[in-house]
Amino acid sequence: MTVRSRRHSWIAGAAVLALAGVPWLTAHAQSISARGLHAPVTLTRDSAGIVHIEAQNEHDLFFAQGYSAARDRLFQLELWRRQATGTMAETLGPRWVARDRAARLMTYRGDMDTELAHYHPRGKAIIEAFVAGVNAWVDRVRADASLMPPDLAALGITPGHWTPAVVVSRHNALASNASDEAGLARAVRMLGSDAVKRRRRFEPGNVRLALDSAVAQLVATVTDARLLADYSGSRSAPSFRADELAASWRRPSAAPADSTARLETDRWESNNWVISGARTASGKPIVANDPHRAISLPSLRYLVHLKAPGWDVIGGGEPGIPGVAIGHNQHGAWGLTICGIDSEDLYVYQLDAANRAYRYRGGFEPLRVLADTVRVNGGGAVPVSLPYTRHGPVLYVDSVRHVAVALRAGWLEPGGAPYLASLRLDQATNWTEARAALTYARMPALNWIWGDTSGTIGWQTAGVAPVRRNWEGLMPVPGDGRFEWDGLLPIAQLPHETNPARGYVGTANAFNVPTTYAHFEALARSWSDPFRHDRLQQVLDTTRNATAASSGALQHDAYALAAERLVPLLDRVTFPTPLAKAARDTLLAWNRVLDAESRGAAIFVAWERRLASHTAALVVPPAARPLLRTVPLSRVVELLTRPDSLLGDRPEGARNDILVRAFSETIDDLRQRFGDDLRGWRYGDARFHHARIAHPLDALVSDSLKRLLSPGPAPRGGYANTLLATSNADNQNHGASLRVVMDVADWDAALVTNTPGQSGDPRSPFYANLFPSWAQNRFLPLPYSPAAVKRQTAEVVVLTP
């Protein structure tokens, strides 16, 4: 019997029963032998499921981190490994070949020793130790089928060994803006530069949108789906089909081709702030961070405490990456948000008649083509070719018109693996050392904040910042040599502050760079709407005697700044029906807080959605709507509060029509959801704004497994433009993947949330145990000292050589 059939046989006999428990998840101390260790290591799991690792040397520390991550997240890590290496087809069949080829096309192909050394002086040894730990758990699972995660077994996937190349993979790189360039070029071609700038928001606003004729011809004939197929295929979450799943797991009505839905594009937004001790109750800085990513199962984040000689750091990161990306050591605390740096460019080439070379600086350069083979389950092997130009991987070739498009990406530069440079930051003892560590932090582009025991606070932007002397990087350009990066801006020259007079630093993905900054050519021009950032500043400007608890409350702040300007517009609008009038009066009296229990919040959010939709429909010409699908909310607010000619010849009349139509449709929407009784309307109802975290197999499995695999629904407040960022969808699909608040005066007072749990194995008691506290906006302790860890201990495992 093959490994695949053994797994399916096991699932068929115990699909639901197996979720009740697993032998290695126990509440008492146990000892496990792990080949590759040099000395015993203690793994203490606290009541939240966070693992505190204590080792006698650096190698064993990172070995144990890899072992612990694999023990908790093998389903997730194995899918990441196969995405990174382009090996999905070898277990799931021929429909995955194109995706596997795309993954290999985007593989980092530089010198691996140089790459590993970038992230830490002992980066190679650390990453190799981490990989050895992952593989030690993989070997144990392959030897004992009872330890196999049941969802991995249901897909018939046998886990394989990791290599350092998997750790430094770029498949999950957060970068911009290749996916927007062609669409923006089409919009400029159709409407003109000035018209696009009036409907989009670029900061600073003096952006040049010059479209080359060769690019204009390309975008006129090629869709984004064709142009970006390899780019998207190499990085999007996998979508499985029913015929790839064990029959005992499939819902009875599932057809073979039924598929799980792909996750919505990750928004990559976050909040962070550091408050000076002059404004805190403890007299020491407070650091708070809540990175917003896709809300997924298993969680994107994994909390861990790493302790060994030279290391004592706790916090969160991604489970496939050694170290801690967000957290604190005994000297300082740090957090991060995505920053506006454009690290991607699309280049358009004229090919020769044989489509084997591209024009560059008056001559032709040959394409560099690598030959590879994709192994296919049930189909042997498929040869694939991987073409490159001097700028990067070729995404598209039109062999008839002799045109090609390639990607230049900052994340394909050395040191471009996400978050790994945090290893250097994990050992920083002061702001000077932290800033030095951050000069290695190339991807993703981040606003880092810091606060330490000396009282110093700081902000440093870090990332791959290409210097473009003669174009903005917003649209594709010819690859003939006229548009080249003039190096990368040194990270120390990116925006930064130390101990600002205002007494705090706060970032929230909005445009926050001083107008006096000297290097805007290295930054992006598209930023998030300013509402979260403005609300953060509004609160912090008046903050005194701050505590960890007050910063935690601010992370859950659901005050909607946009409502301050939009709701008063209804004051002079009349409606014919008693229900509409009552709803309007409710909204006018509402406190502007998007509380889950609020009627006013339900009315406002439903209304704002329609205001945005109607405004976009009016100001974006019909032919351009596929290209400019939305208008930024900040621009919508401007147009509705200060109508201008974009709304037509009678701007105020058009605005009033939008207000009335949108509100009437809102009433119809909420009546359909909740009925005619206004008292029953509630924003956080399961029929409106809620959180249900769907397992990747949720759409395919039986109802009994859905209930076990996918927690929720739970009521949610907030939305995408409040500090409590819970997305604009009915079911929250983005938001705080992790929250942490750290008072430098007392490390044991740190607060944390994660969701839905530390473990990705549905049999584990730590699979979804954190979902209720996260959904109810409650924190858990993040114990750091030995005494605090001991008080919270739920399980102790000793790994022995």
Side-chain angles (χ1 to χ4, degrees):
M1 182 181 291
T2 66
V3 171
R4 182 182 176 93
S5 62
R6 284 203 306 271
R7 302 300 181 223
H8 279 202
S9 175
W10 176 76
I11 286 292
V16 178
L17 181 63
L19 300 185
V22 61
W24 46 268
L25 288 169
T26 63
H28 58 271
Q30 56 179 309
S31 178
I32 298 175
S33 176
R35 183 178 300 173
L37 283 176
H38 299 161
V41 180
T42 302
L43 280 62
T44 302
R45 192 188 295 272
D46 67 25
S47 56
I50 302 166
V51 178
H52 304 257
I53 302 172
E54 188 163 2
Q56 299 176 38
N57 59 76
E58 186 174 270
H59 170 275
D60 289 354
L61 179 68
F62 289 101
F63 179 101
Q65 185 184 8
Y67 188 94
S68 178
R71 180 174 178 245
D72 278 340
R73 301 287 187 89
L74 189 56
F75 173 84
Q76 183 180 38
L77 292 191
E78 176 60 13
L79 292 185
W80 284 4
R81 184 189 73 84
R82 289 187 179 274
Q83 290 178 74
T85 56
T87 52
M88 298 290 285
E90 74 177 19
T91 187
L92 292 175
R95 82 176 183 95
W96 295 86
V97 170
R99 183 190 178 101
D100 284 350
R101 178 194 172 275
R104 298 178 190 206
L105 181 67
M106 301 300 207
T107 297
Y108 175 72
R109 298 189 179 277
D111 178 75
M112 193 57 64
D113 287 343
T114 302
E115 171 75 2
L116 299 181
H118 175 90
Y119 304 106
H120 191 276
R122 298 180 299 282
K124 181 178 181 181
I126 288 171
I127 293 169
E128 287 178 345
F130 180 86
V131 164
V134 172
N135 291 339
W137 181 256
V138 168
D139 287 340
R140 188 163 183 225
V141 170
R142 290 172 67 135
D144 183 352
S146 71
L147 300 179
M148 179 73 76
D151 38 11
L152 198 60
L155 287 167
I157 297 176
T158 301
H161 284 158
W162 277 50
T163 65
V166 177
V167 176
V168 302
S169 164
R170 275 62 161 168
H171 81 278
N172 58 343
L174 305 183
S176 63
N177 63 335
S179 59
D180 298 327
E181 288 192 6
L184 180 59
R186 290 189 190 94
V188 170
R189 179 179 179 273
M190 181 181 296
L191 302 178
S193 172
D194 290 342
V196 170
K197 285 192 281 186
R198 292 190 71 191
R199 291 159 174 83
R200 291 271 301 259
R201 181 177 293 280
F202 298 101
E203 295 171 303
N206 59 338
V207 66
R208 296 168 296 173
L209 298 178
L211 183 61
D212 186 275
S213 58
V215 174
Q217 182 179 8
L218 171 78
V219 299
T221 57
V222 183
T223 65
D224 274 1
R226 291 176 62 199
L227 187 64
L228 299 172
D230 287 337
Y231 178 88
S232 302
S234 69
R235 52 207 294 122
S236 60
S239 175
F240 301 101
R241 291 196 331 196
D243 58 3
E244 293 164 344
L245 191 63
S248 59
W249 275 56
R250 294 198 300 267
R251 69 176 189 275
S253 60
D258 283 356
S259 181
T260 55
R262 291 184 184 273
L263 286 175
E264 182 181 335
T265 302
D266 211 336
R267 287 174 61 103
W268 315 343
E269 295 178 349
S270 312
N271 306 315
N272 70 14
W273 58 89
V274 53
I275 306 173
S276 163
R279 287 175 171 260
T280 69
S282 71
K284 293 291 186 181
I286 290 175
V287 176
N289 191 197
D290 52 306
H292 306 160
R293 297 286 302 278
I295 300 300
S296 60
L297 199 156
S299 171
L300 175 69
R301 309 296 183 184
Y302 187 68
L303 292 159
V304 69
H305 184 179
L306 304 174
K307 188 173 183 179
W311 299 85
D312 194 357
V313 58
I314 190 170
E318 297 185 9
I321 300 172
V324 168
I326 300 163
H328 72 82
N329 58 27
Q330 65 268 50
H331 305 287
W334 57 91
L336 53 85
T337 66
I338 289 291
C339 176
I341 295 179
D342 176 6
S343 61
E344 295 179 331
D345 282 311
L346 293 179
Y347 284 93
V348 180
Y349 307 88
Q350 181 63 50
L351 299 178
D352 68 0
N355 297 311
R356 294 178 181 174
Y358 57 96
R359 185 177 295 280
Y360 188 78
R361 295 198 187 279
F364 278 90
E365 287 193 6
L367 291 168
R368 181 169 64 97
V369 181
L370 302 181
D372 203 349
T373 302
V374 176
R375 294 172 54 196
V376 182
N377 184 27
V382 176
V384 295
S385 62
L386 310 174
Y388 299 84
T389 71
R390 62 167 45 234
H391 297 117
V394 175
L395 304 181
Y396 170 81
V397 174
D398 184 332
S399 57
V400 175
R401 293 184 175 90
H402 309 294
V403 173
V405 178
L407 172 73
R408 184 164 191 187
W411 43 271
L412 286 174
E413 299 286 322
Y419 301 113
L420 260 174
S422 298
L423 285 166
R424 293 178 182 266
L425 189 60
D426 290 348
Q427 293 184 295
T429 65
N430 55 53
W431 180 224
T432 299
E433 291 181 5
R435 285 196 70 200
L438 292 174
T439 62
Y440 295 87
R442 291 190 154 191
M443 290 300 294
L446 298 169
N447 286 307
W448 294 87
I449 57 166
W450 169 274
D452 62 35
T453 54
S454 77
T456 299
I457 68 171
W459 159 49
Q460 175 69 62
T461 299
V464 178
V467 178
R468 304 175 180 91
R469 298 296 184 192
N470 59 326
W471 90 107
E472 305 285 357
L474 296 177
M475 297 187 295
V477 291
D480 57 12
R482 290 178 290 147
F483 300 89
E484 297 293 340
W485 293 359
D486 189 9
L488 305 175
L489 189 69
I491 285 173
Q493 294 182 29
L494 286 167
H496 60 275
E497 283 185 315
T498 301
N499 293 327
R502 79 181 78 85
Y504 70 86
V505 172
T507 74
N509 317 113
F511 181 58
N512 65 327
V513 182
T515 55
T516 55
Y517 181 62
H519 299 288
F520 278 116
E521 75 278 1
L523 299 183
R525 294 300 183 92
S526 295
W527 305 72
S528 292
D529 268 324
F531 301 107
R532 286 182 295 112
H533 183 258
D534 290 352
R535 175 59 176 167
L536 180 59
Q537 283 196 312
Q538 183 183 76
V539 174
L540 293 183
D541 278 343
T542 60
T543 292
R544 301 292 185 274
N545 298 313
T547 63
S550 68
S551 274
L554 186 55
Q555 287 184 333
H556 294 108
D557 181 278
Y559 188 84
L561 274 185
E564 287 187 349
R565 299 181 64 187
L566 292 174
V567 171
L569 297 175
L570 286 173
D571 194 31
R572 298 182 181 180
V573 177
T574 59
F575 294 95
T577 68
L579 182 61
K581 183 179 183 302
R584 187 204 64 170
D585 293 344
T586 297
L587 195 54
L588 289 171
W590 170 57
N591 64 1
R592 316 303 195 247
V593 176
L594 299 181
D595 184 87
E597 299 298 319
S598 171
R599 287 193 297 273
I603 298 167
F604 174 74
V605 172
W607 183 52
E608 187 195 81
R609 289 180 183 179
R610 283 161 181 80
L611 289 176
S613 176
H614 284 305
T615 302
L618 185 60
V619 305
V620 179
R625 287 172 193 166
L627 308 175
L628 299 176
R629 289 183 291 274
T630 62
V631 174
L633 179 61
S634 54
R635 189 73 181 103
V636 170
V637 171
E638 289 173 356
L639 287 167
L640 295 179
T641 55
R642 296 194 303 272
D644 66 26
S645 60
L646 267 183
L647 296 181
D649 296 334
R650 298 175 55 255
E652 290 192 3
R655 184 271 311 275
N656 293 340
D657 181 59
I658 289 173
L659 297 177
V660 172
R661 283 192 295 135
F663 200 78
S664 297
E665 291 171 5
T666 294
I667 301 305
D668 291 341
D669 174 15
L670 297 178
R671 287 180 63 197
Q672 291 179 16
R673 292 178 191 261
F674 303 119
D676 291 335
D677 188 348
L678 189 67
R679 293 171 298 179
W681 296 5
R682 187 171 68 99
Y683 181 48
D685 192 280
R687 292 164 291 185
F688 200 171
H689 201 53
H690 63 278
R692 179 179 182 272
I693 308 181
H695 186 280
L697 302 178
D698 180 83
L700 303 178
V701 301
S702 63
D703 289 343
S704 58
L705 282 175
K706 278 179 187 286
R707 290 190 290 271
L708 290 166
L709 293 175
S710 303
R716 298 298 284 147
Y719 74 152
N721 288 297
T722 54
L723 288 172
L724 175 62
T726 56
S727 84
N728 286 332
D730 281 1
N731 184 21
Q732 179 181 351
N733 49 36
H734 292 90
S737 55
L738 168 74
R739 287 190 180 91
V740 63
V741 182
M742 301 161 285
D743 188 334
V744 171
D746 182 1
W747 296 125
D748 283 335
L751 305 171
V752 70
T753 65
N754 192 11
T755 192
Q758 282 284 100
S759 175
D761 191 314
R763 300 167 296 181
S764 168
F766 303 106
Y767 175 73
N769 63 311
L770 303 183
F771 179 75
S773 58
W774 172 84
Q776 295 164 22
N777 300 336
R778 291 187 290 107
F779 284 97
L780 302 165
L782 185 64
Y784 183 66
S785 69
V789 172
K790 185 176 181 179
R791 287 193 296 270
Q792 297 288 332
T793 295
E795 174 195 63
V796 177
V797 172
V798 178
L799 299 182
T800 60

